[in-house]
Amino acid sequence: MSREPRIALYPGSFDPLTNGHVDIIQRGARLFDRIIVAILMNREKTPLFTAVERVDIAREVFANEPNVEIDTFGGLLVEYARRREASVIVRGLRAVSDFEYEMQMALMNRHLSPDLETVFMMPGEAYTYLSSRLVKEVFALGASVAGLVPPAVERRLLVKR
Ligand code: PNS
């Protein structure tokens, strides 16, 4: 029996994409027919990478993964999900500290769109302490971020320095 392809959205700021994000996307790509990495535009006034740069980076990293698509979105996530015919939102949960924010978002999104299901995935334990914010901070203070972000991000960070 054939069924509709199951499309998942993995939304976020991805400023920058970290190896923790990559890990979640790879896990999602194994579970769903397609996973759309949905990069939120214009949230921070001064992002480190523009939306165009973040798209370029993610497309480079997932160039060989046919069921991973990279896109940008603005406005309400549930509206974007409806347009893209996605039935699942994927979010990574690293630690208990993520839980409250994630639960609020998941329940608000469910309130707005009851059929859209949020699925939480745990990254590999090496990434439980990793966040885009800390990557930016340690890089700005001169530390190496090798192993924390894909080489495509590291290269572009070095250019910005
Ligand atoms: O990587 P982030 O910054 O934690 O991702 C947050 C994101 C982009 C998932 C969230 O801010 C979002 O969905 N924004 C879109 C606006 C929206 O729909 N807000 C209501 C969601 S509860």
Side-chain angles (χ1 to χ4, degrees), residues 4 14 19 37 49-50 52 57 66 71 81 94 111 114 129 131 136 138:
E4 293 288 305
F14 304 108
N19 283 343
V37 179
F49 289 107
T50 66
V52 172
I57 290 169
D71 195 10
R94 292 164 300 190
H111 167 76
Y129 62 92
S131 70
K136 283 187 276 199
V138 300

Side-chain angles (χ1 to χ4, degrees), residues 46-57:
T46 51
L48 180 59
F49 289 107
T50 66
V52 172
E53 287 174 315
R54 283 177 274 155
V55 167
D56 283 350
I57 290 169

Side-chain angles (χ1 to χ4, degrees), residues 35-49:
I35 180 160
I36 302 173
V37 179
I39 300 175
L40 179 68
M41 294 182 297
N42 307 332
R43 183 183 187 182
E44 273 184 64
K45 282 197 191 80
T46 51
L48 180 59
F49 289 107

Side-chain angles (χ1 to χ4, degrees), residues 29 32-36 61-70:
F32 301 105
D33 298 308
R34 180 148 34 114
I35 180 160
I36 302 173
V61 173
F62 294 101
N64 297 320
E65 313 237 9
N67 66 333
V68 178
E69 181 187 327
I70 316 298

Side-chain angles (χ1 to χ4, degrees), residues 11-14 21 38 40 43 73-78 91 101-102 104-106 108-109 112:
S13 308
F14 304 108
H21 296 130
L40 179 68
R43 183 183 187 182
F73 80 105
L76 271 182
L77 179 64
V78 294
R91 292 285 291 173
Y101 170 59
E102 294 298 335
Q104 282 178 357
M105 280 206 299
M108 178 57 80
N109 285 329
L112 297 171

Side-chain angles (χ1 to χ4, degrees), residues 21-38:
H21 296 130
V22 172
D23 178 277
I24 295 288
I25 295 164
Q26 285 167 338
R27 286 171 201 280
R30 289 196 290 271
L31 271 185
F32 301 105
D33 298 308
R34 180 148 34 114
I35 180 160
I36 302 173
V37 179

